[in-house]
Structures are given as C-alpha cells and as structure tokens.
Amino acid sequence: MNILVTLNSGYVRPLCVMLRSLIKCNPCTHFEIYAVNKSLSETDFSYIRSKVPDDSYNLHNIKIDDSMLKNAPVTDRYPHEMYYRIFAAKFLPDCVDRILYLDPDLVILKPLDKLYNTNLGDNYFAAASHVGKPLQKINEIRLQMDSKGPYINSGVMLMNIALLRREQNLDEVFSYIEKNRHILFLPDQDIISAVYCDKIMTIDPYIYNMTEKMLLSVKSIKNDVDFEWVQQNSAIVHYCGRNKPWNDNYIGSLDCFYKLYSSDIN
C-alpha cells in the first residue's frame, strides 16, 4: 500500500503516532511511505524510524524545491507543505499509480484495504466532505465551483496518480491560485475542490474522516452515533483544526485514540 504524507518538522511526532496506528490496524500489509517535504533532516527521519521500528514499511524521503509555490498563499497553520499533495504526481516515482494521502494529525482504527482498493474510474481523488448543504452552497459561490462537485476535506484522499500524471495541468492550478488567492481560506482543499470538482469521488466521512466536531453535531441528531459507534465503525479519526490531542486544552473524547499510540513519544 502506497501512503503519502506531506509535512515539516513540526509534525514529525504526530506522524509517528499515525504510522504506529496504521501498521497496528493493518497487520498483513506492507507500506511504502512517501514523505514529501522541503526541510526534514536525517535526524528527523532517524527519529521516525526509532519510534516506529517495524519491518512492514519503507520510508522514502522525497525532497522537493517548492520555488514554484513562492506566490501561493500560506499562514502559520497552512504552510507550503499543504500544497504538495496537489502536485504529488509530479514528485512520486513512476512505479506509483495510486496512493493514499493521510494527514499526520489522524489515527487509524481499522484496516484501510477497502478504501485503498476503491475503483476510482476516471476520478482523480476520492475524499470525504465535512460540510452540509448550506456551507456547500457558500463554497460553490466563494470558489466559483461547479455545483455538482463536493467541497472536500483534504486530510484523507485516495489519489489516482497514474491519471493525474497523464492529465494534470499545473498551469490550470497556478492560474486559479493567482486569480483567487484573496478568497482561499483553506487553500489546498479550496483548490482541489474548485479545480477538480468534477473529478472527485466522495467517501463516507463518518468512516474515513471522523472528527470531534462531526461527532458532536451528529449526536444532537442521531443518538446511535456516539463514542462507542466510532470505536466499532470508524476507520480514521482526524484531529483537524486547532483542537489537537497533543495539547493540554484538548476538548472532546476522541483523543484517547491518539494517546493509545503516543505514550513514549516526546
């Protein structure tokens, strides 16, 4: 199974937790982990291997020059590294035809083979949406989206690398960034949702991109979706936003999954 991660040194420790959970919950799977970055050191990679000492994976250091992104909007929460997933087909070796992108700030609870083997057809991405109809409509207007396309969360994405390699037009992406940089709120997923709205397959967010906010909101509607439901059904828990389980001020109940794999990571 090919796995893509993009990160800077600030997310090395969460990445170790994610990889531990990935390996633990997929015991019969070998992983090729591609870490696309511009600044990770050999010390960072040695640290990862020391905290995730397992022969079921290979860790590849894909170092890139992101000068092409010099004009792309960034913030302290959304650095240049977030754009790398959009252009992954340009950086990954030719032997990779599909890859599962996973944010470092998530934990795997169940096997991912069903997701990984999804038939993508002529879609570039398979991803979940976290927004309801009102916010979907707002995003369609804000980003000038095709109304038929979903607004996705880019933290978990199955990517059709073979097709992207053949068809992706980088100029189209850069042109969109240049024209809309002032309205990009969550830049990478804004861009993917807008530029590729007709090339995205949706997956179940409660299974493959569960969050604390989603759990809180759905509990007010469905009493049967609770913490126990997440334990039994969700394959991925995503700690997106500012509410991170490695911070003392975490709010919610899903941080227990992170703590399960992080006890000796400092």
Side-chain angles (χ1 to χ4, degrees), residues 7 9 29 43 93 148 165 176 188 207 214 232 257 266:
L7 72 160
S9 58
T29 303
T43 300
K148 295 180 181 179
R165 195 178 282 125
Y176 183 84
D188 63 311
I207 303 298
M214 287 174 56
Q232 295 172 14
F257 301 117
N266 48 41

Side-chain angles (χ1 to χ4, degrees), residues 103-168:
D103 266 353
D105 61 347
L106 52 79
V107 170
I108 312 303
L109 307 184
K110 298 282 189 297
L112 298 182
D113 53 309
K114 183 177 179 181
L115 172 61
Y116 188 80
N117 293 313
T118 298
N119 183 356
L120 287 167
D122 62 354
N123 291 294
Y124 293 157
F125 305 96
S129 176
H130 284 169
V131 302
K133 289 183 179 179
L135 192 52
Q136 169 70 25
K137 191 63 180 178
I138 291 171
N139 282 322
E140 288 171 7
I141 296 170
R142 175 175 68 90
L143 300 172
Q144 303 171 56
M145 291 172 58
D146 182 330
S147 61
K148 295 180 181 179
Y151 182 84
I152 56 100
N153 178 278
S154 59
V156 178
M157 295 192 300
L158 183 63
M159 305 178 66
N160 192 340
I161 297 298
L163 190 59
L164 281 163
R165 195 178 282 125
R166 292 197 301 270
E167 297 183 357
Q168 188 177 36

